[in-house]
Amino acid sequence: AIWCLAADRPRLGYAILAVGAAYKLIPALLLPVWVIAAATAACGTRASFGRWVRTIALEATIAGAILAVWPALTYFAGGGERGFLYLTWHSQRGLQLEAPAAFPVLLADRTVEFGSSYGSFNLRGELPDRVAKLMGLLMPLTALVGMGVAARGLWLTRGERNRIPLVAASSMLIWLAFNAFNKVGSPQ
């Protein structure tokens, strides 16, 4: 997908990220960085902020349409609602043992119990439940902050030709924030 941005073929990059999202969630969270980078490249160095935002909206619509193909195919060719059962598993889990927040919870609360549910080992108790709910809020917020950092950086460097290092760094920021503030320790 990074090569696609470098080769000025961002929509192919959107498609690659959409295919990746069928396997793991993080490519869908990285898609906005690609959209903002593509819009910045399309606008050029002298675009007004309003034109840049309109171009982001256009690219986001195209990227959203490409991303929507995956759930549509999953629904119509993958067994209907059964194709999305794994999302229930992720959302219903408690604080997974492998999650970064699990170790501090283990240190802070000696009453924590271990349990197995929804295909994972989770911590059970009052504190793990509260931390899991907090992570459910922090994870999307940190992803949004990462996207904001990426957008600001791309706007400020719009005159530069090579945006790939900034896209890679922004993607890594979002990826790390997603893992650090997630209640699930799934290897992304």
Side-chain angles (χ1 to χ4, degrees), residues 76-88:
F76 292 112
E81 291 179 19
R82 290 181 312 131
F84 302 99
L85 185 61
Y86 71 95
L87 293 173
T88 301

Side-chain angles (χ1 to χ4, degrees), residues 149-173:
V149 168
R152 183 176 187 276
L154 287 163
W155 172 253
L156 291 175
T157 60
R158 64 191 179 279
E160 296 179 20
R161 179 113 173 100
N162 185 8
R163 292 176 189 87
I164 300 306
L166 182 57
V167 169
S170 299
S171 298
M172 190 60 104
L173 174 66

Side-chain angles (χ1 to χ4, degrees), residues 13 39 58 71 75 84 89 96 107 123 129 141 146 172 186 188:
L58 173 65
Y75 186 83
F84 302 99
W89 284 42
Q96 194 173 7
L107 292 176
L123 301 180
D129 290 346
L141 288 175
M172 190 60 104
S186 178
Q188 297 290 335

Side-chain angles (χ1 to χ4, degrees), residues 93-97 99 101-102 105 121-123 128 131-132 135 182-183:
R93 284 181 181 156
L95 183 61
Q96 194 173 7
L97 186 59
V105 168
F121 294 104
N122 304 308
L123 301 180
V131 170
M135 292 297 140
N182 202 331
K183 71 175 184 172

